[in-house]
């Protein structure tokens, strides 16, 4: 099958390219490299079934050939990056999603968009079930990301309902692993970078906010399963093992260096206080649940960051 993947040079996108090639498919990857890197795809550069095109998905694109599957991952994804590029973030979720959906409609291709747990905002229901409509501040700092993804979901449903596009919506919860950008500010690379340099771990707020972390191979497996399912409504993909950010810092200390100091910094606006996916739907529909535990996943990620030559 012919696959088109936007955001291919990013963290999750590069692993998805690898997985689809290993499954015997052909892949054209698109990316404007705003946060992604060619280095993430360097090992695929000479693969006979892989091609890469530098392209901004918010711009029109005429592609020769026909695709069986369109995957739309292109987006600014870390709070530091989307707060720094709010307009680009809104555009990749809106115009970018429409452009990718148009290709799927033209080709009669399947379509999958990577949405986010941020659609639930600072949730008032816990854990988050797909039927919960969320508690998003539409004009807050994070709204450029949250609303772009909510728009992307709405546009995807409109293309499904109006044009019959066979679409899937993955609501991804915090995912980590090799090829995350070391300096993208997300808590996993931030703490690992600080630990590797013997610097204090920076906890935002008092560290009582919760998250749960899914290793990238589990996430890619969930995405691939979802992409061949008949479910059109959103499906949560993430690891339900919830911990506070303070507990997460303790895990990092246990793994890297018990003596690392912790410093507390101000909590960013609208930072969700609790987050944990209810993955009952993914378990039932896809037979999917995460397999990699946090310690094993972190060890692989540390190995990657240690081996990273300066860019
Ligand atoms: P990432 O930043 O590593 O990858 C995103 C990629 O999209 C980058 O390579 C970037 O250069 C590219 N991109 C951004 N705007 C573009 C544009 N206009 N045109 C072309 N390319 C563009 O982030 P990631 O963690 O791999 O995220 C992948 C997807 O998963 C995103 O849609 C993100 O919103 C979603 N997601 C990720 C997480 C997570 O924890 N990693 C959680 C929820 C949702
Ligand atoms: N966080 C932190 N220190 C950091 C980076 C992040 O305490 O150096 C916190 C952040 O405030 C949030 C959680 O860790 O509560 C997860 O942040 P991340 O940026 O990874 O993603 P989010 O879940 O907020 O999208």
């Amino acid at each position: 099958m012919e696959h088109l993947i936007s955001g291919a040079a990013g963290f999750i996108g590069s692993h998805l390219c690898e997985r689809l090639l290993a499954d015997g498919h052909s892949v054209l990857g698109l990316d404007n490299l705003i946060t992604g890197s060619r280095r993430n795809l360097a090992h695929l550069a000479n693969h006979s079934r892989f091609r890469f095109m530098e392209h901004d998905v918010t711009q029109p694109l005429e592609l020769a050939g026909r695709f069986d599957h369109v995957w739309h991952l292109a987006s600014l994804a870390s709070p530091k990056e989307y707060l720094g590029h709010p307009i680009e973030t809104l555009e990749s979720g809106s115009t970018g999603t429409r452009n990718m959906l148009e290709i799927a409609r033209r080709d009669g291709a399947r379509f999958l968009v990577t949405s986010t747990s941020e659609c639930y905002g600072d949730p008032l229901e816990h854990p988050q079930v797909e039927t919960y409509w969320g508690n998003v501040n539409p004009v807050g700092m994070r709204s450029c990301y949250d609303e772009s993804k909510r728009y992307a979901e709405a546009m995807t449903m409109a293309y499904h309902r109006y044009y019959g596009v066979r679409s899937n919506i993955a609501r991804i919860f915090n995912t980590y692993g090799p090829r995350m950008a070391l300096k993208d500010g997300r808590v996993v690379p931030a703490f690992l970078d600080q630990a590797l340099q013997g610097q204090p771990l920076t906890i935002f707020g008092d560290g009582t906010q919760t998250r749960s972390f899914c290793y990238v191979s589990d996430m890619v497996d969930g995405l691939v399963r979802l992409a061949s399912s008949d479910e059109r409504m959103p499906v949560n993909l993430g690891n339900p093992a919830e911990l506070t950010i303070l507990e997460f810092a303790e895990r990092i200390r246990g793994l890297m260096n018990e003596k690392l100091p912790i410093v507390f910094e101000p909590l960013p606006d609208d930072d969700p206080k609790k987050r944990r996916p209810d993955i009952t739907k993914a378990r039932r529909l896809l037979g999917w649940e995460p397999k990699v535990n946090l310690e094993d996943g972190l060890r692989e990620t540390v190995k990657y960051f240690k081996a990273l030559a300066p860019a």
Side-chain angles (χ1 to χ4, degrees):
M1 290 217 291
E2 300 287 333
H3 292 258
L4 178 66
I5 304 181
S6 75
F11 156 53
I12 299 177
S14 63
H15 287 275
L16 180 63
C17 290
E18 211 171 83
R19 164 69 190 265
L20 294 174
L21 291 168
D23 289 350
H25 301 293
S26 299
V27 174
L28 171 60
L30 304 177
D31 204 298
N32 67 352
L33 305 175
I34 187 166
T35 57
S37 162
R38 284 181 189 274
R39 178 160 61 185
N40 289 339
L41 297 172
H43 61 301
L44 303 177
N46 295 321
H47 195 295
S48 59
R49 284 181 275 106
F50 181 70
R51 287 176 299 145
F52 176 73
M53 188 187 292
E54 189 170 334
H55 176 76
D56 181 336
V57 293
T58 66
Q59 301 303 314
L61 177 63
E62 291 293 329
L63 282 174
R66 192 194 152 275
F67 295 94
D68 301 294
H69 207 129
V70 177
W71 305 74
H72 181 40
L73 280 69
S75 174
L76 283 304
S78 86
K80 179 180 146 196
E81 295 292 354
Y82 61 68
L83 294 175
H85 301 93
I87 315 284
E88 289 87 342
T89 304
L90 282 155
E91 280 288 306
S92 62
S94 53
T95 313
T97 302
R98 176 99 197 260
N99 286 341
M100 295 298 283
L101 275 162
E102 265 304 304
I103 296 172
R105 184 181 74 86
R106 180 200 72 180
D107 289 358
R110 301 189 68 122
F111 177 85
L112 182 144
V113 63
T114 50
S115 184
T116 168
S117 52
E118 285 284 330
C119 286
Y120 302 118
D122 190 6
L124 303 176
E125 287 187 15
H126 192 74
Q128 291 77 56
V129 188
E130 291 87 346
T131 47
Y132 175 48
W133 290 353
N135 178 40
V136 171
N137 176 353
V139 291
M141 294 300 286
R142 296 169 90 107
S143 64
C144 59
Y145 185 63
D146 302 6
E147 297 296 5
S148 88
K149 292 293 186 172
R150 287 164 70 103
Y151 180 96
E153 290 196 3
M155 185 59 92
T156 301
M157 290 309 296
Y159 265 66
H160 165 60
R161 293 188 175 115
Y162 194 72
Y163 293 121
V165 170
R166 288 175 304 161
S167 53
N168 297 104
I169 298 172
R171 285 200 184 137
I172 298 180
F173 285 63
N174 298 64
T175 300
Y176 72 101
R179 302 197 203 118
M180 288 190 97
L182 190 59
K183 303 286 181 191
D184 82 4
R186 287 185 271 196
V187 71
V188 174
F191 282 5
L192 292 182
D193 188 27
Q194 289 157 355
L196 288 170
Q197 297 192 52
Q199 301 283 329
L201 304 180
T202 52
I203 290 189
F204 299 163
D206 60 6
T208 56
Q209 71 270 36
T210 67
R211 295 293 187 274
S212 54
F213 298 99
C214 184
Y215 190 63
V216 66
S217 57
D218 282 329
M219 180 53 58
V220 167
D221 188 49
L223 291 172
V224 169
R225 285 172 190 245
L226 177 59
S228 58
S229 85
D230 291 329
E231 179 62 17
R232 302 286 163 249
M233 300 302 277
V235 176
N236 288 339
L237 293 177
N239 194 318
E242 180 184 5
L243 68 176
T244 66
I245 292 301
L246 197 53
E247 286 166 340
F248 181 59
E250 291 301 345
R251 301 278 190 101
I252 298 285
R253 290 216 284 201
L255 190 72
M256 307 284 288
N257 174 359
E258 294 284 1
K259 297 202 175 73
L260 279 174
I262 286 179
V263 295
F264 292 89
E265 295 187 356
L267 187 69
D269 283 348
D270 295 328
D271 195 289
K273 288 181 265 312
K274 278 184 171 189
R275 183 184 289 160
R276 170 156 66 96
D278 181 319
I279 60 164
T280 309
K281 190 170 175 183
R283 280 198 177 104
R284 179 170 45 83
L285 288 180
L286 315 176
W288 176 87
E289 63 182 0
K291 294 190 170 55
V292 180
N293 71 39
L294 187 58
E295 272 66 27
D296 290 346
L298 285 174
R299 268 191 213 98
E300 287 304 308
T301 312
V302 170
K303 241 191 268 175
Y304 167 79
F305 283 138
K306 278 188 174 165
L308 205 57

